[in-house]
Amino acid sequence: MEVASGKTGLVLAGGGARAAYQVGVLQALKEMLERTLQFERIQEHIDSGALYAVSVTASGYTTGQSVSFFQGGSGLEGWERNQRIGAAVSLKLDYLLASSALPFIFPAVKVHREYFGDGSVRQIAPISPALHLGADRVLVVGTGRQSADQSRARSNIYPSLAQVAGHALNSIFLDGLAVDLERMERINRTVRLIPPEQLAEAKIELRPVKVLFISPSQPIERIAARFVHELPPMVRFVLRPTGAMNRSGSNLASYLLFEEPFCRTLIDLGYQDTVVREKEVRAFFEDTGGN
């Protein structure tokens, strides 16, 4: 396979314990991470050309801004949009911890002058950092199932607290990515209708971006329903009155199940979902001479 030229961006949407679908959840003490994650090697790989840039996004609790902290090669500049900015830094553990600090579950992390939490909060354009950093193709790994079945279900049962909370978490972690993907596809279709010379003449900095989206083939909330008994007794005691231990409330549980059996199941699912799409993945990375 001939590997494509240009820059490929990788977007990991996150989502509490659901992020195990992407890589697995890091559950280690800060001291262990500092020994394991050699952040100084990021610059080594950038200097060698093996890596162009790395970015992690966190949400500022004071300003309300979604800040993408990035480290990259020379020539990359920060950006500023409505409630979103990009800041050039030398990445270290604190940025990673801030980016994954799920509200109400993990403590906020102070970076520079502000406390930050999970980057999915108030992130209305999760793919944009990869584009700002120069990617011309983007591999997006989501944690919500993309279903063609949009039929509305009938229910006469009042929603439980867990069901409402799960709905809110889906809005935070899943909806922004879905909308951003739709926006990107719409822009791609529009750009392809405009002759390149007209774009250059008008000095419009738009380009088609190749996209591959991988998402769970099975509803993660249904998988979570099989593993809620793995939660610690005290957590089960707290969640039971909310309805999170029932199938209808398993959406909430799916964000909190940092237990090994559940995470291992999601990792295996992510692996299998990628393997069955091998032709698409190979085509995505192959150099076809265009987007």
Side-chain angles (χ1 to χ4, degrees):
M1 180 179 69
E2 185 179 357
V3 179
S5 57
K7 306 177 184 69
T8 301
L10 173 63
V11 178
L12 302 175
R18 284 172 171 247
Y21 177 79
Q22 300 167 322
V23 180
V25 179
L26 295 175
Q27 292 182 317
L29 298 174
K30 182 175 181 180
E31 292 76 12
M32 176 181 174
L33 285 174
E34 287 175 334
R35 292 195 303 269
T36 305
L37 301 180
Q38 302 177 26
F39 287 90
E40 66 276 2
R41 298 198 64 187
I42 292 177
Q43 193 59 47
E44 291 180 18
H45 290 300
I46 290 173
D47 293 339
S48 70
L51 184 66
Y52 189 70
V54 179
S55 172
V56 295
T57 300
S59 180
Y61 284 125
T62 301
T63 62
Q65 290 180 322
S66 177
V67 183
S68 295
F69 299 102
F70 70 89
Q71 182 174 347
S74 60
L76 284 178
E77 298 181 354
W79 61 89
E80 186 169 353
R81 298 292 186 270
N82 182 31
Q83 291 299 313
R84 328 183 252 120
I85 65 173
V89 299
S90 293
L91 289 174
K92 56 184 181 180
L93 182 61
D94 285 345
Y95 297 108
L96 182 60
L97 293 176
S99 177
S100 57
L102 192 66
F104 307 113
I105 307 299
F106 299 118
V109 178
K110 189 173 185 180
V111 179
H112 304 300
R113 298 169 296 179
E114 188 175 3
Y115 280 95
F116 287 86
D118 195 293
S120 293
V121 179
R122 306 198 71 172
Q123 170 59 292
I124 58 175
I127 303 175
S128 67
L131 302 182
H132 280 294
L133 295 173
D136 45 32
R137 54 173 54 78
V138 182
L139 171 59
V140 181
V141 184
T143 58
R145 186 180 181 214
Q146 296 298 109
S147 175
D149 181 13
Q150 300 295 328
S151 59
R152 296 173 60 87
R154 180 183 297 275
S155 175
N156 295 318
I157 302 175
Y158 193 82
S160 65
L161 178 59
Q163 195 171 352
V164 174
H167 185 75
L169 287 172
N170 282 350
S171 175
I172 294 172
F173 291 107
L174 306 182
D175 293 354
L177 179 61
V179 171
D180 212 18
L181 282 167
E182 287 183 0
R183 183 187 302 118
M184 176 176 290
E185 293 294 349
R186 187 166 60 250
I187 293 174
N188 275 340
R189 289 194 297 268
T190 302
V191 171
R192 291 190 181 102
L193 294 174
I194 305 174
E197 57 273 13
Q198 290 188 16
L199 286 174
E201 183 180 348
K203 297 181 179 180
I204 299 176
E205 296 182 358
L206 290 176
R207 64 190 187 281
V209 177
K210 194 174 183 179
V211 182
L212 176 62
F213 180 45
I214 297 178
S215 63
S217 59
Q218 302 175 33
I220 289 183
E221 61 273 15
R222 293 187 184 177
I223 298 175
R226 306 202 313 259
F227 291 94
V228 289
H229 64 278
E230 298 283 351
L231 287 166
M234 183 56 69
V235 176
R236 295 201 304 269
F237 176 78
V238 173
L239 291 180
R240 186 168 286 109
T242 71
M245 305 302 293
N246 302 326
R247 181 173 179 177
S248 62
S250 59
N251 224 332
L252 173 61
S254 71
Y255 289 94
L256 307 176
L257 262 166
F258 292 93
E259 308 306 315
E260 182 178 349
F262 176 67
C263 292
R264 176 55 57 189
T265 300
L266 294 194
I267 293 171
D268 291 342
L269 177 63
Y271 181 87
Q272 295 300 327
D273 284 349
T274 305
V275 168
V276 298
R277 297 179 62 181
E278 181 178 356
K279 289 185 178 179
E280 287 181 76
V281 173
R282 287 185 176 274
F284 175 79
F285 285 105
E286 284 175 355
D287 194 350
T288 59
N291 292 307

